[in-house]
Amino acid sequence: MSSTSQKHRDFVSEPMGDNLVTELPGIGSVLGSKLSEAKFTKAYNVLGQFLVLDKNEELFVGWLKETCSANSKQAGDCYTALNAWCDEHL
């Protein structure tokens, strides 16, 4: 298994609560601002979209690239974290 960042480990290990979208691995301040402009201000908003897309990696990564101009690594990091979070908490 590939190594994960501290941000990923922290995100997956805790309840989502009201975390801002920038708490998602792969999402920094620039992408967070773009997501906020698209009305995705909280991590749970992005989780909702992830679930609407049936946790499908190709669809979610494509959505994230289109919505906030994430690159493949950023979108992949976010997908991996949300998928791991779901495995841990749902």
Side-chain angles (χ1 to χ4, degrees), residues 31-79:
L31 297 183
S33 292
K34 291 179 181 181
L35 283 167
S36 291
E37 289 172 14
K39 306 299 183 214
F40 293 89
T41 58
K42 302 286 187 173
Y44 61 74
N45 299 134
V46 178
L47 173 66
Q49 184 65 25
F50 174 78
L51 295 173
V52 165
L53 296 173
D54 291 329
K55 301 194 288 187
N56 180 289
E57 183 173 10
E58 183 179 341
L59 292 175
F60 181 76
V61 166
W63 172 81
L64 206 53
K65 286 179 174 182
E66 184 177 317
T67 302
C68 67
S69 304
N71 65 35
S72 293
K73 179 173 184 340
Q74 293 163 328
D77 287 351
C78 188
Y79 170 84

Side-chain angles (χ1 to χ4, degrees), residues 6-36:
Q6 185 64 47
K7 187 175 182 179
H8 172 98
R9 291 188 296 276
D10 291 345
F11 178 77
V12 171
S13 70
E14 299 173 356
M16 194 167 302
D18 283 335
N19 285 347
L20 295 175
V21 71
T22 53
E23 296 295 316
L24 289 163
I27 307 299
S29 60
V30 172
L31 297 183
S33 292
K34 291 179 181 181
L35 283 167
S36 291

